[in-house]
Amino acid sequence: MCKIKLALEKLFEQHRIVFWNDVKKELRSEFETLSLDNVQKLVQDNNEFTIKYDVLVRNPDTKFLIYREGERVTEKSNWMLDLELAFAEFKSDQFSIWLGEIGLGFEFASFVQEHVAFFKKQSFRDRLKEILPGFDSNNSLRMKMLAICVNAEDRIDSVLEELLSDLANDKMEKFNSVVKCSLDSFLWKMFEQNYGYKSNNPSVKDFAIELFKSCYFVSIKKETKLNSDAFVLMQKWKDSRKRVTDFEKLSLEFESVLDIEHDLANRTREELQSADHFKIIDKKILTTLINDLANKTISPEHCLKFITLRKQTHWYKENISDMYEAVHHAAYVFKLLSEFNISISSFEDGFVKYTDNWYKLDLNYRKFVYFVRESGQSSPLIPLIDQVENQYTNNFLNRLNNEWQPHVDNLTNWHDGGVSDQKCFFRKTVLPILEKNYKVFVIISDALRFEAGKELYNRILQENRYEGEINFAQSVLPSYTQLGMAALLPNNQISLNAEKVETVFVDGKSTMGTDNRRKIVSETEKYSGTVVLSSDFLGMHLDDVKTLVRDHSFIYLYHDEIDSAGKNPDTLPGAVERTFDTILKMVKKLTSSNANRILITADHGFLFQDKDLDESDFLSDSSIEGELLQIDRRFIIGKDLRATNSSFKVFTAAQAGLIGDVTFAIPKTVNRIRKKGSSIRFVHGGATLQEVVVPVLDIRKKRESDIGYVAVEILGGTSHLITTGQLAVALYQSEPISNKVRPLQLKIGLFCGDVLISDSKVILFDRTAEDPRDREFKLQFLLSQEANKFNNREVELRLFEQTKGTDRYDKLHKVYKYTLRRSFTSDFDF
């Protein structure tokens, strides 16, 4: 009854008089109980002239529903024919009810018969009624019905994405719905029309396999069965955050079906440069890069450029980046080693050259080890691991410190080298800030060596409204925690005595533990200071931090992740990365609490080698005479120590700038003292540059934003005519990425009006190269069949910026205009 009423109401929206012919005489009761607003009901039963007079003369503005039972009379005998032709007829059979409900004319009855399963579903009819406007043919109507069957948008690519999703998840419900509604033949016609897909036994899986195969062939410049729209579809599908899981499931399945591994055996790395449809492609590329880099059959520079290009590909961005990053840092180690000119003219010159450039080798070695760990796949990297370890140890670590050691040996006093003394940190760095009536907050991170401090400095300055400088200081010797922490406190003199060798004293006060250090800091003349552990600080409420900042002139905050991890060197590279995150949180929490001047430094650095050491790297303490009080891997503390050979350098307390009756024996270069139970791969206490160069970061918060994004331009000289099925462009990143110039991610495609007529690409402009040629991005766009409609029209290459915090690209960054002038078109003329 409800359906009849709805259908009639739809008819009365357009007609004043509606005839209801009940041929089977089975709906009289429904007519009699039917109630329609502002509609008068009449029964036609040999009273035609009365009805005509009523509806045309007496009530010319009233709506009438005229009901008649039985077979239709012939036109010659039908006295109501003129009215029936002038107004509307309601048919009470099921198809007519459905058509009336949806708003389609009765001429679509045979169409309904063809797809009756579709129209039987109320939800399908309701949805069709919503999206009905705008169809201009039966096929247009079928397209809408197809979209409804699979719960897609009214586009063939959206329909296909839903079918591929079902395929990826081993489901058939949506395709079965298409078949049940007799729309499968139409589906295959659409696949042929839009993508060039033909098959004697078509299926969604067969199409999907052909899609992957064709797009792979396109990337390696081979002929393909499908057309350019198939490639455009693939680009959009695999770049969709919503569909990425579907793509990856099918990719992993089909690389076996298509035996891609066998095909890759005959492909060069250069052929595969832009191919990213199968994960195994990246495995092939990584294998060749690893072996070629290890065997020196590819230059580090070429390797770095190749990896830069691969950064834009799918699997790199998804889950294989750690492997590429490991290779990247290995290549950088080899590049730096090829440029490594070891020459040190003085003790101070060693500090300057290390902090200007040589530290990068330590940084990239650490990052290499970190990404090997993060990849979880060390086996494929073994050829490279062996080369990196050997070259880092033999060609850098040993060579550097062999060249450095004579300058240490020539010192009578440890601090005679002309480098800023760590013991003067408070007096020369903290106190001048306090004397200008500024508050200062000091973060001391245990074992934050210079290269890590440099990376941390860059990380901080990449944040908005931060500025600063990074300098260095010469640590105390031995370069171990208790002595280094004491040197950073306010002090006039530092003492260490044989009687209590485990405790370092500042001005006669013990520096052992947080409470003793807090006491020393709090007793600083004229200025109120305190000490807080990083774990306590990070757990404080922001209001409590603001109170802490308000009530003190300076605060020492102690942080320890790197040194703690040294007990298990396998975790050390990860601990350094976590340290960056932790200290950045501390800095932001301080600046949110009105702290605007922050110093970050360390007690000492460290030596780190990931491989097992050779026997020749160890020394015995038996070559040291005297009273041995404390033995560590990198130093011995005792009384009246003397070296019986040239393997150790000995300093008295006075020569080390301390008060006391002890002497120190320091192994030369990178040698360790044999000792049970302690780490040999992570050590400190000695006099290598890695151990004694400590960073001093001076960070300030600015009032105004100082972050910008890199500019992107199209290189000149490019033709403004498009005459084939593709467009090649070269985009230029105008400057290198730096601390204050951020990368810019753009989505780029060719448009005519609001219509995308090519594939679109998401490109991250993030290159740090100084050479402008290394900041060029060469892109190729394939035109879709839709482009054929716009021949001899102006089209635009549009660059859209990503909306922060979303996957949307709404803001137009730049537009470049072209004229599409193709003398002929083909499915894939590239």
Side-chain angles (χ1 to χ4, degrees):
M1 184 64 181
C2 180
K3 294 177 182 178
I4 293 174
K5 183 176 180 179
L6 289 172
L8 286 167
E9 287 176 341
K10 183 73 176 177
L11 287 170
F12 277 114
E13 288 176 4
Q14 299 177 355
H15 303 281
R16 185 173 73 88
I17 301 172
V18 174
F19 287 89
W20 182 348
N21 293 297
D22 184 7
V23 177
K24 296 182 180 180
K25 302 181 180 181
E26 57 188 8
L27 298 173
R28 181 65 177 257
S29 60
E30 281 80 356
F31 170 76
E32 289 175 348
T33 57
L34 179 67
S35 176
L36 295 171
D37 293 341
N38 301 314
V39 175
Q40 186 175 335
K41 298 191 298 182
L42 299 175
V43 177
Q44 181 181 338
D45 187 11
N46 296 317
N47 56 346
E48 289 82 357
F49 291 108
T50 302
I51 291 174
K52 276 191 168 185
Y53 183 76
D54 200 4
V55 301
L56 296 176
V57 179
R58 292 179 58 197
N59 299 292
D61 297 321
T62 302
K63 292 182 178 180
F64 288 93
L65 174 60
I66 303 173
Y67 176 83
R68 180 176 58 203
E69 288 182 325
E71 294 294 332
R72 291 174 176 273
V73 296
T74 63
E75 290 187 1
K76 190 177 292 187
S77 304
N78 187 0
W79 296 101
M80 303 290 284
L81 181 61
D82 54 340
L83 290 180
E84 288 179 8
L85 293 174
F87 294 98
E89 179 183 5
F90 170 66
K91 295 181 179 180
S92 55
D93 61 277
Q94 191 63 70
F95 289 1
S96 300
I97 292 173
W98 289 341
L99 290 169
E101 178 186 331
I102 295 167
L104 288 170
F106 294 116
E107 65 272 17
F108 284 93
S110 60
F111 185 92
V112 173
Q113 178 68 52
E114 184 182 346
H115 304 289
V116 66
F118 178 93
F119 290 94
K120 280 183 177 181
K121 291 195 69 170
Q122 182 69 54
S123 60
F124 282 9
R125 296 197 304 276
D126 291 343
R127 180 66 182 135
L128 183 59
K129 183 178 178 181
E130 290 177 10
I131 66 171
L132 188 63
F135 84 95
D136 54 12
S137 66
N138 284 6
N139 280 344
S140 176
L141 185 57
R142 286 189 180 95
M143 186 66 241
K144 293 178 184 292
M145 292 162 61
L146 190 60
I148 292 168
C149 280
V150 301
N151 193 28
E153 296 180 34
D154 182 14
R155 304 188 321 271
I156 189 60
D157 61 326
S158 179
V159 168
L160 185 49
E161 285 177 3
E162 293 295 335
L163 293 173
L164 291 173
S165 181
D166 259 18
L167 179 65
N169 293 285
D170 296 319
K171 297 178 182 179
M172 289 290 288
E173 287 88 342
K174 291 177 179 177
F175 180 71
N176 288 341
S177 177
V178 171
V179 174
K180 186 177 180 180
C181 295
S182 302
L183 288 164
D184 47 320
S185 295
F186 174 72
L187 177 70
W188 305 132
K189 287 179 182 177
M190 293 299 290
F191 277 20
E192 179 178 351
Q193 178 181 323
N194 286 275
Y195 306 116
Y197 172 71
K198 297 178 182 179
S199 174
N200 293 329
N201 296 292
S203 70
V204 174
K205 185 171 184 177
D206 184 65
F207 172 83
I209 292 171
E210 188 59 50
L211 177 66
F212 273 90
K213 179 181 179 180
S214 292
C215 291
Y216 170 61
F217 279 8
V218 169
S219 67
I220 58 174
K221 307 292 190 294
K222 285 187 67 176
E223 290 187 6
T224 174
K225 292 182 179 179
L226 302 186
N227 62 27
S228 59
D229 278 17
F231 185 82
V232 173
L233 168 75
M234 172 65 85
Q235 289 294 101
K236 177 188 173 187
W237 182 44
K238 69 185 176 68
D239 289 342
S240 167
R241 302 309 304 173
K242 180 181 177 182
R243 304 295 183 180
V244 65
T245 303
D246 298 335
F247 164 78
E248 291 181 355
K249 284 181 180 179
L250 293 177
S251 172
L252 292 172
E253 177 184 349
F254 294 160
E255 72 179 29
S256 175
V257 172
L258 293 168
D259 198 10
I260 298 300
E261 184 174 10
H262 180 266
D263 184 79
L264 290 174
N266 303 312
R267 303 287 167 203
T268 66
R269 183 173 52 242
E270 282 65 30
E271 280 183 283
L272 301 171
Q273 183 171 290
S274 62
D276 67 347
H277 304 97
F278 303 101
K279 190 174 183 178
I280 198 171
I281 294 171
D282 286 280
K283 293 179 181 178
K284 160 82 173 183
I285 289 171
L286 281 165
T287 298
T288 61
L289 283 176
I290 289 166
N291 291 328
D292 289 353
L293 195 58
N295 296 325
K296 300 181 181 179
T297 53
I298 183 177
S299 71
E301 292 80 6
H302 186 184
C303 180
L304 290 167
K305 287 181 179 180
F306 195 92
I307 292 173
T308 296
L309 294 173
R310 288 301 294 178
K311 282 185 177 183
Q312 304 293 342
T313 59
H314 177 84
W315 294 101
Y316 184 100
K317 292 183 284 187
E318 289 302 322
N319 57 14
I320 207 167
S321 61
D322 290 331
M323 289 274 284
Y324 275 112
E325 286 295 315
V327 179
H328 169 90
H329 287 288
Y332 218 91
V333 167
F334 297 153
K335 178 179 183 294
L336 290 168
L337 281 171
S338 69
E339 301 165 352
F340 183 48
N341 181 18
I342 182 67
S343 172
I344 302 175
S345 61
S346 67
F347 188 87
E348 184 179 9
D349 184 53
F351 270 76
V352 171
K353 287 179 176 175
Y354 181 78
T355 56
D356 277 351
N357 191 48
W358 293 343
Y359 76 88
K360 295 175 185 176
L361 271 153
D362 289 319
L363 187 153
N364 281 279
Y365 171 74
R366 171 179 57 79
K367 300 290 275 190
F368 169 74
V369 176
Y370 171 74
F371 283 111
V372 170
R373 298 266 196 281
E374 287 295 296
S375 73
Q377 302 181 63
S378 60
S379 295
L381 289 160
I382 285 175
L384 204 52
I385 292 171
D386 292 340
Q387 278 293 319
V388 171
E389 291 291 350
N390 291 334
Q391 292 206 39
Y392 172 75
T393 298
N394 298 325
N395 295 337
F396 174 64
L397 208 57
N398 291 340
R399 283 182 63 203
L400 172 63
N401 285 292
N402 287 337
E403 182 76 13
W404 167 246
Q405 188 61 46
H407 298 284
V408 176
D409 292 344
N410 290 337
L411 294 176
T412 301
N413 299 307
W414 173 237
H415 289 289
D416 284 351
V419 179
S420 178
D421 184 352
Q422 187 182 44
K423 299 195 307 298
C424 301
F425 172 75
F426 182 83
R427 185 170 70 254
K428 291 188 176 181
T429 305
V430 178
L431 193 57
I433 299 172
L434 294 172
E435 288 173 343
K436 294 178 181 178
N437 294 321
Y438 293 118
K439 297 188 175 196
V440 61
F441 304 88
V442 182
I443 298 173
I444 301 171
S445 183
D446 201 335
L448 181 76
R449 69 179 181 179
F450 182 82
E451 57 88 2
K454 184 74 172 182
E455 185 174 353
L456 172 63
Y457 172 75
N458 290 330
R459 285 272 298 269
I460 293 172
L461 260 64
Q462 286 166 15
E463 298 291 327
N464 195 19
R465 296 170 54 207
Y466 286 94
E467 62 179 358
E469 296 85 34
I470 180 170
N471 295 300
F472 59 84
Q474 176 187 349
S475 81
V476 288
L477 198 69
S479 52
Y480 71 108
T481 299
Q482 289 82 358
L483 191 56
M485 291 297 183
L488 294 168
L489 292 166
N491 71 83
N492 292 308
Q493 63 179 30
I494 300 173
S495 57
L496 182 63
N497 292 292
E499 182 181 353
K500 203 172 183 180
V501 74
E502 72 279 2
T503 303
V504 181
F505 291 85
V506 163
D507 300 334
K509 300 167 187 172
S510 170
T511 63
M512 183 70 73
T514 304
D515 291 339
N516 285 322
R517 293 174 192 168
R518 183 180 293 111
K519 185 176 180 182
I520 293 169
V521 167
S522 65
E523 292 176 355
T524 304
E525 186 178 355
K526 296 198 299 184
Y527 301 103
S528 59
T530 191
V531 164
V532 182
L533 296 178
S534 63
S535 56
D536 295 336
F537 175 76
L538 289 170
M540 293 173 67
H541 191 278
L542 192 60
D543 289 340
D544 295 328
V545 177
K546 289 181 178 179
T547 300
L548 187 71
V549 170
R550 182 196 66 200
D551 293 345
H552 296 88
S553 301
F554 71 103
I555 300 172
Y556 274 36
L557 297 107
Y558 288 99
H559 168 261
D560 180 12
E561 281 185 84
I562 299 174
D563 202 57
S564 293
K567 300 177 182 64
N568 179 9
D570 286 345
T571 67
L572 180 81
V576 176
E577 298 295 325
R578 291 193 300 276
T579 289
F580 299 151
D581 295 335
T582 301
I583 293 180
L584 188 54
K585 287 179 185 176
M586 294 172 69
V587 168
K588 288 183 176 181
K589 196 163 189 176
L590 282 167
T591 54
S592 296
S593 305
N594 304 317
N596 294 318
R597 194 70 178 270
I598 300 167
L599 302 175
I600 303 171
T601 191
D603 50 350
H604 56 77
F606 60 85
L607 282 171
F608 172 64
Q609 292 166 269
D610 197 43
K611 71 168 188 172
D612 293 331
L613 274 67
D614 296 332
E615 187 64 27
S616 60
D617 294 322
F618 291 94
L619 301 175
S620 171
D621 57 19
S622 62
S623 60
I624 297 296
E625 294 181 345
E627 184 180 354
L628 279 62
L629 301 173
Q630 181 178 334
I631 302 173
D632 209 297
R633 289 288 189 187
R634 289 287 293 155
F635 64 92
I636 298 173
I637 304 177
K639 287 190 70 174
D640 302 320
L641 300 182
R642 297 173 304 282
T644 61
N645 58 38
S646 60
S647 299
F648 288 86
K649 168 72 175 177
V650 176
F651 289 93
T652 65
Q655 288 173 326
L658 309 176
I659 303 297
D661 57 358
V662 295
T663 50
F664 309 110
I666 309 296
K668 292 186 179 181
T669 66
V670 297
N671 293 321
R672 277 79 156 164
I673 299 168
R674 191 173 298 284
K675 180 185 176 184
K676 289 184 179 180
S678 61
S679 170
I680 60 173
R681 289 154 51 205
F682 169 85
V683 292
H684 57 83
T688 65
L689 288 165
Q690 286 82 359
E691 294 167 287
V692 301
V693 180
V694 294
V696 181
L697 284 65
D698 187 346
I699 304 298
R700 299 176 296 279
K701 185 70 181 286
K702 299 173 68 175
R703 294 182 179 275
E704 296 179 354
S705 174
D706 61 354
I707 291 290
Y709 289 89
V710 71
V712 176
E713 304 287 345
I714 194 165
L715 288 178
T718 303
S719 170
H720 291 278
L721 283 178
I722 303 173
T723 58
T724 67
Q726 63 181 336
L727 170 66
V729 298
L731 297 177
Y732 174 60
Q733 179 185 310
S734 62
E735 57 188 321
I737 300 303
S738 65
N739 289 333
K740 295 303 179 184
V741 179
R742 287 183 175 173
L744 181 64
Q745 185 157 292
L746 299 175
K747 190 170 189 176
I748 309 167
L750 200 63
F751 289 80
C752 187
D754 294 330
V755 180
L756 177 66
I757 59 171
S758 73
D759 61 319
S760 62
K761 302 181 187 296
V762 175
I763 304 296
L764 180 62
F765 294 87
D766 65 343
R767 296 186 183 171
T768 58
E770 292 293 335
D771 188 338
R773 291 171 297 181
D774 292 333
R775 300 197 303 274
E776 292 181 17
F777 292 74
K778 295 180 179 179
L779 308 178
Q780 182 170 282
F781 295 89
L782 293 179
L783 275 63
S784 66
Q785 290 193 91
E786 192 75 12
N788 296 339
K789 299 177 183 177
F790 303 102
N791 206 23
N792 297 314
R793 294 268 300 275
E794 183 178 80
V795 296
E796 296 178 340
L797 185 70
R798 296 177 188 168
L799 287 62
F800 292 95
E801 295 180 22
Q802 186 175 21
T803 303
K804 189 175 180 181
T806 74
D807 290 328
R808 297 178 59 85
Y809 292 82
D810 296 316
K811 183 180 178 182
L812 192 59
H813 179 73
K814 287 235 173 92
V815 173
Y816 298 96
K817 297 183 183 299
Y818 295 85
T819 298
L820 182 59
R821 190 170 294 158
R822 298 171 69 184
S823 57
F824 64 91
T825 61
S826 67
D827 285 341
F828 239 144
D829 55 341
F830 61 87

